[in-house]
Amino acid sequence: MARVTSLTWGVKQSFRGYVEMTGGVTEAAEGATRDADGAFIFPATAESTLELAADGALTGRGVFQGEVKFDSHGGMLKVFLADPILEVTEAGATLTVADSPKRNFRIEVVKLDLAAAGPDGIPTKLSVDGVYLLGAHYPLNTAVDPVKLA
């Protein structure tokens, strides 16, 4: 078993591109950084227990730190997400985030398809709260950027 030390997720490449195309700002802070492709890298915290087995199976709970802000259209488009948690249960795997700077409420943004994991990551689909986090521009179960674990 190998401990997962970071989670990389780009949210949705076309959404990031739209924010940038409209002159908006995308920021990663509080420990989150961006990779060369524009995705966000969140480091694991000390309380994270997520491990990856040699056969690719995930166990435990991944607790990551950092925040991402999208701001465009003079503030009419604002998206905030922070401190992702990846949970693996018998029912499946989900990614939740804090949806405000106060970090007092968590929402499930995507469901992960662990069975389809491959070299490009773990495919993800928007959950109900994820639809609303992104301004209801994408329907339920829209494929968004894969999650990559290191």
Side-chain angles (χ1 to χ4, degrees):
M1 297 287 255
R3 183 175 182 270
V4 174
T5 59
S6 69
L7 176 145
T8 301
W9 183 48
V11 182
K12 184 159 179 55
Q13 189 278 327
S14 61
F15 181 77
R16 293 190 325 261
Y18 175 79
V19 170
E20 292 166 9
M21 178 187 72
T22 59
V25 176
T26 302
E27 294 179 4
E30 299 296 321
T33 58
R34 293 187 82 175
D35 70 11
D37 295 328
F40 308 99
I41 303 167
F42 301 91
T45 67
E47 64 191 79
S48 186
T49 61
L50 191 63
E51 293 185 324
L52 182 62
D55 66 358
L58 284 173
T59 58
R61 183 175 190 247
V63 182
F64 305 91
Q65 68 183 24
E67 65 184 37
V68 174
K69 299 175 193 173
F70 298 97
D71 191 344
S72 187
H73 299 300
M76 295 298 290
L77 171 70
K78 280 187 176 283
V79 174
F80 177 92
L81 58 96
D83 304 335
I85 295 178
L86 192 159
E87 297 198 60
V88 180
T89 66
E90 290 180 10
T94 60
L95 187 69
T96 65
V97 298
D99 69 343
S100 77
K102 291 182 181 180
R103 292 170 164 77
N104 57 353
F105 187 69
R106 299 195 66 78
I107 60 170
E108 177 187 292
V109 288
V110 295
K111 295 185 183 300
L112 290 80
D113 185 354
L114 297 178
D120 293 330
I122 305 167
T124 61
K125 292 184 179 180
L126 282 179
S127 61
V128 172
D129 288 338
V131 167
Y132 291 107
L133 179 71
L134 297 181
H137 296 291
Y138 307 101
L140 182 64
N141 294 320
T142 294
V144 293
D145 288 2
V147 164
K148 296 178 185 176
L149 303 171

